[in-house]
Amino acid sequence: MCSTCGCSEGEVTITSGHHSDDASHCHDHAHHHHAHHDHCQCQTHDSASCEHEHEHDETIEFETSPSVEVHHHYYHHGDVHHHIHYHLAALPEAMPQPTMSEVTPTVKRTVTIEEQVLAKNDRIAAHNREHFAAQHLVALNFVSSPGSGKTTLLCETLRQLLPNQSCVVIEGDQQTQNDAQRIEATGAPAIQINTGKGCHLDAQMIHDAMHQLDAPQGSYLFIENVGNLVCPAGFDLGEKHKVVVLSVTEGEDKPLKYPHMFAAASVMLINKIDLLEHLDFDLQRCMQYAHQVNPELIIIPISATTGVGMDEWLSWLETQPCA
């Protein structure tokens, strides 16, 4: 389980979209320790020999005792935190209430040691960033809630960039390879990452996907993250920019409800503006809310279906040269 967001990945697979049935192109990550799932079970910890920052949780339950709950916190080995709960069940009022020293506990101890999640992710992200720079790749992390239309928008972007500009795509979804197949229909190579129960991509997944994705030097690398406006804000993938996509069907107050994502983004694409006449959506208010969270945010109203705003979006991409 991810200690940052509480999600549980289960089995993660990285698959080339056009080899979806070929087991030789499928990288099974069920055995791999990702940045936010590295953990071990142990009873002791030697802080001098381990770089990890760990958290210890201990629960001690008493079979008979008064109706008292005691929370005892203490620290051991510097940064190791022991948190002990004493849960005492009520005895009949006629019976004498024992003191804590008289109670013989039945101890059920679970000690979970977990590495600082984001610290390791950031180290891998820094490695990814160095790799992208060496290959002259411009990595853009597309983030949004589900149904914002970012895959449709990405497909239209690819159709207008190809074949004059090399582009590759990493697709993130919990299940299916539908989006990778849609991307490859445009002519761009794509790798699908299925995160299972996970709600975001992390730097390790991108690192592993890049080993399967033969990205030519001087390419745009579009990373389409799992639909989620919360967790992807905190996970650096090594990208140059986060591009947040917000559709007009979602409500203009999304930047205020999910400020961390909009604060982390460089560009905000307000998609599906062709539907504005059918909705109660205040475009100017949405832009004001976004700038309230991030005054430097570049905002482009756009429609992937009608093409409105595509020129402005492509012009911004040109300001991020691959060479």
Side-chain angles (χ1 to χ4, degrees):
M1 178 176 288
C2 173
S3 66
T4 297
C5 63
C7 75
S8 176
E9 277 185 1
E11 181 176 317
V12 179
T13 57
I14 301 177
T15 312
S16 175
H18 60 284
H19 292 289
S20 59
D21 297 325
D22 187 346
S24 65
H25 291 266
C26 181
H27 189 171
D28 184 350
H29 282 248
H31 68 282
H32 188 84
H33 294 292
H34 288 299
H36 60 295
H37 293 276
D38 284 2
H39 67 278
C40 57
Q41 301 292 328
C42 64
Q43 298 287 332
T44 61
H45 172 67
D46 181 358
S47 61
S49 63
C50 184
E51 298 177 353
H52 299 176
E53 295 184 23
H54 295 151
E55 178 180 337
H56 290 233
D57 295 324
E58 301 180 4
T59 300
I60 298 179
E61 298 181 357
F62 295 87
E63 291 181 336
T64 58
S65 50
S67 55
V68 178
E69 181 172 317
V70 179
H71 295 271
H72 181 200
H73 300 259
Y74 68 92
Y75 288 85
H76 183 56
H77 288 314
D79 57 2
V80 178
H81 176 208
H82 296 258
H83 186 189
I84 299 180
H85 297 267
Y86 298 87
H87 297 283
L88 308 180
L91 293 175
E93 293 182 3
M95 296 181 64
Q97 301 295 318
T99 64
M100 288 295 293
S101 61
E102 296 172 331
V103 178
T104 302
T106 298
V107 179
K108 298 179 181 178
R109 172 187 285 186
T110 301
V111 180
T112 303
I113 299 177
E114 192 160 2
E115 181 183 38
Q116 285 255 348
V117 175
L118 293 179
K120 180 175 181 181
N121 184 84
D122 289 347
R123 290 196 297 271
I124 301 172
H127 171 75
N128 290 347
R129 191 170 286 110
E130 292 173 358
H131 174 71
F132 298 154
Q135 294 295 111
H136 302 289
L137 304 178
V138 175
L140 302 174
N141 183 6
F142 273 63
V143 292
S144 77
S145 58
S148 68
K150 65 180 180 296
T151 305
T152 300
L153 181 58
L154 183 52
C155 286
E156 183 59 28
T157 300
L158 293 169
R159 278 190 283 266
Q160 298 206 27
L161 290 175
L162 297 170
N164 298 322
Q165 171 62 54
S166 176
C167 302
V168 294
V169 179
I170 296 176
E171 274 290 334
D173 280 304
Q174 288 188 310
Q175 298 294 340
T176 83
Q177 299 192 29
N178 296 348
D179 285 353
Q181 291 168 0
R182 289 175 62 188
I183 292 297
E184 288 194 326
T186 69
I191 289 286
Q192 180 76 55
I193 300 178
N194 290 131
T195 60
K197 295 180 181 178
C199 59
H200 57 84
L201 298 176
D202 64 29
Q204 183 69 59
M205 297 178 194
I206 300 303
H207 174 272
D208 295 340
M210 288 301 296
H211 280 283
Q212 296 190 47
L213 186 62
D214 186 16
Q217 288 203 11
S219 297
Y220 284 113
L221 168 60
F222 295 103
I223 303 169
E224 185 174 349
N225 218 313
V226 179
N228 180 358
L229 283 175
V230 182
C231 300
F235 282 82
D236 183 8
L237 306 181
E239 73 272 19
K240 186 173 184 180
H241 297 288
K242 283 184 174 66
V243 178
V244 61
V245 181
L246 171 68
S247 72
V248 297
T249 58
E250 297 177 61
E252 65 263 13
D253 60 349
K254 277 294 188 295
L256 300 182
K257 289 183 175 180
Y258 303 94
H260 296 295
M261 179 62 77
F262 291 87
S266 301
V267 179
M268 172 183 176
L269 301 178
I270 305 181
N271 196 23
K272 304 183 183 180
I273 62 168
D274 53 296
L275 300 178
L276 277 175
E277 61 180 306
H278 306 291
L279 302 168
D280 183 18
F281 182 93
D282 191 323
L283 182 61
Q284 293 303 315
R285 183 178 297 174
C286 180
M287 296 170 70
Q288 290 171 3
Y289 288 156
H291 279 148
Q292 182 178 326
V293 172
N294 182 354
E296 304 300 320
L297 188 63
I298 297 171
I299 302 176
I300 303 175
I302 197 168
S303 170
T305 57
T306 67
V308 174
M310 285 298 298
D311 288 344
E312 187 177 355
W313 161 235
L314 294 173
S315 294
W316 180 84
L317 284 176
E318 291 177 0
T319 68
Q320 311 299 316
C322 299

